[in-house]
Amino acid sequence: MKQLYCLALLTVLFSCKENKETTSENLNKDIPKDTIKVRETTDKSSNLNLVSDLRPDEKLKLEEVYHDEVEFVNFDGNGDYALFTVQKNKKLISFYTDFANAGQFKRGDVLNAAWKMDTIYVAGEGEKQEFAEWLVNAKKVKDGNVSLFRKKHPKPIKCYTDKEDYTTDFKDYLYEQVEFYLANSKNELVKTAIKNPNADLSYSIEEKDREGHSYIVLGISNDFEHHTNIIQWLYLDNENRELYEYDLPNDKLIQFD
C-alpha cells in the first residue's frame, strides 16, 4: 500500500512539472522576439547619462535634435571624424559631423546649430562605443568680424615664404590666423592700415625658438608703392597653437584672444 501511494505521488509531481514547462513555453511563444529587443534597447537608452557643455544643466536624450546659437571657431575635415568646433558661454565644443557645408563659415560667425547626442566609435580602442555631440545642420544668423573683413577687403592677403614643406591645409590655417588677427586687432597701426579697402596686405612666414618654445612667426605688412612696412609681428606656438602679438618696445609676447 505504501509503495502504491509513493508511485501515485510521483505521477502527480511529474504531471505538474510537465504542465508548468508546457505553460512557460507557450507564454514565451506569445512574446515576439523583436519586442524583447526593443524593450532592452529602450531600458538601456533611458539609463544613459548624456551631458554637454552646450546645455550643462539639462539631461539630454539620445538622438533628439536640439537647437543652440553658437559662435563658429573652426572646421577640421581630417581624421576619422570631421570636427566642427564652436564656442558658447566661453567654452569650446567640438561636434562630430558629416554636414556637407561645414567648411563654409568663418571664425566668429554666429550660427544656429542643430545637433544631437549620437553614437561614435573611437578608433584605436577596439572600436570603443561612446556618445558625443553630432552636428546635423548649421545656418549663419550673423556675420562675424572675419566675414565682415572679407566683404570690405575682397583682395587676397599675399603670402611670402620659402617654406615648401607646409601642406596646403596648414598654409590655409596660417592665412586664417592672419585674417582673424586683422579683423579683430585693437592695434592702431593695424586699424589704420585696414581702413583702406584697397590696401595691399601681406605676411611673411618663418620659424623661431624663444624661451624654450618653437614658434611660427608671421610678419604682417602693408605694402605701399613698392615699399613693405611691417605693422605687426605675430607668434604662433607650435605646440598649443596659441597666438601672440609681439610687443617690440618691451620685447615680450602678449596672448591674442
Side-chain angles (χ1 to χ4, degrees):
M1 185 70 180
K2 187 174 180 181
Q3 290 177 344
L4 288 174
Y5 175 77
C6 290
L7 181 62
L9 180 61
L10 288 171
T11 302
V12 170
L13 290 174
F14 179 78
S15 176
C16 289
K17 181 178 180 182
E18 184 177 31
N19 289 337
K20 186 176 179 180
E21 288 176 350
T22 303
T23 303
S24 176
E25 287 175 3
N26 289 335
L27 285 173
N28 288 337
K29 287 178 180 178
D30 290 339
I31 302 176
K33 292 182 179 180
D34 289 342
T35 304
I36 296 173
K37 287 181 180 178
V38 169
R39 286 175 182 171
E40 289 173 352
T41 303
T42 303
D43 290 341
K44 183 178 179 181
S45 299
S46 63
N47 292 327
L48 292 174
N49 184 26
L50 302 175
V51 294
S52 170
D53 283 337
L54 281 165
R55 299 190 174 199
D57 301 320
E58 186 173 340
K59 185 176 181 180
L60 304 174
K61 296 180 180 179
L62 192 64
E63 295 197 350
E64 179 168 327
V65 178
Y66 301 94
H67 293 266
D68 281 276
E69 194 168 279
V70 297
E71 181 181 314
F72 177 71
V73 177
N74 76 289
F75 171 69
D76 183 359
N78 300 309
D80 295 327
Y81 290 100
L83 290 179
F84 189 92
T85 303
V86 301
Q87 181 173 266
K88 184 173 182 180
N89 299 326
K90 297 183 178 181
K91 289 187 177 181
L92 293 177
I93 299 99
S94 289
F95 293 109
Y96 295 96
T97 191
D98 55 6
F99 175 44
N101 297 320
Q104 66 179 305
F105 306 109
K106 306 305 174 191
R107 187 170 178 179
D109 285 346
V110 179
L111 313 177
N112 184 304
W115 63 281
K116 62 182 179 177
M117 297 298 295
D118 206 345
T119 304
I120 63 164
Y121 293 90
V122 182
E125 297 186 24
E127 292 296 306
K128 180 183 176 183
Q129 183 188 44
E130 291 187 359
F131 300 96
E133 296 94 336
W134 186 276
L135 182 72
V136 178
N137 196 358
K139 294 182 179 179
K140 181 161 67 172
V141 296
K142 183 182 177 182
D143 282 334
N145 287 343
V146 173
S147 289
L148 294 172
F149 176 84
R150 282 203 173 189
K151 288 179 178 179
K152 185 178 178 181
H153 296 270
K155 293 172 64 174
I157 306 169
K158 298 173 186 175
C159 175
Y160 300 103
T161 183
D162 58 357
K163 298 293 181 184
E164 297 180 356
D165 55 338
Y166 290 165
T167 65
T168 300
D169 285 345
F170 190 63
K171 288 178 181 178
D172 290 343
Y173 170 74
L174 294 179
Y175 186 99
E176 290 169 359
Q177 294 297 307
V178 171
E179 195 174 46
F180 175 72
Y181 176 77
L182 290 171
N184 292 278
S185 178
K186 301 295 191 297
N187 183 304
E188 291 301 325
L189 280 176
V190 173
K191 288 165 68 175
T192 299
I194 65 175
K195 279 183 180 179
N196 180 6
N198 296 313
D200 288 319
L201 300 169
S202 65
Y203 65 99
S204 60
I205 304 174
E206 54 187 293
E207 294 184 3
K208 287 184 179 179
D209 290 333
R210 179 185 172 94
E211 298 175 353
H213 287 265
S214 174
Y215 294 93
I216 294 174
V217 182
L218 307 168
I220 302 177
S221 304
N222 182 19
D223 301 337
F224 181 71
E225 294 182 352
H226 306 291
H227 295 285
T228 297
N229 179 32
I230 296 287
I231 56 177
Q232 183 62 55
W233 292 100
L234 299 178
Y235 280 63
L236 182 69
D237 194 310
N238 261 326
E239 287 188 18
N240 56 32
R241 297 296 184 230
E242 289 182 352
L243 188 65
Y244 297 87
E245 289 179 297
Y246 177 58
D247 180 359
L248 180 60
N250 297 302
D251 188 27
K252 68 177 183 179
L253 302 182
I254 302 172
Q255 187 170 351
F256 184 75
D257 297 320

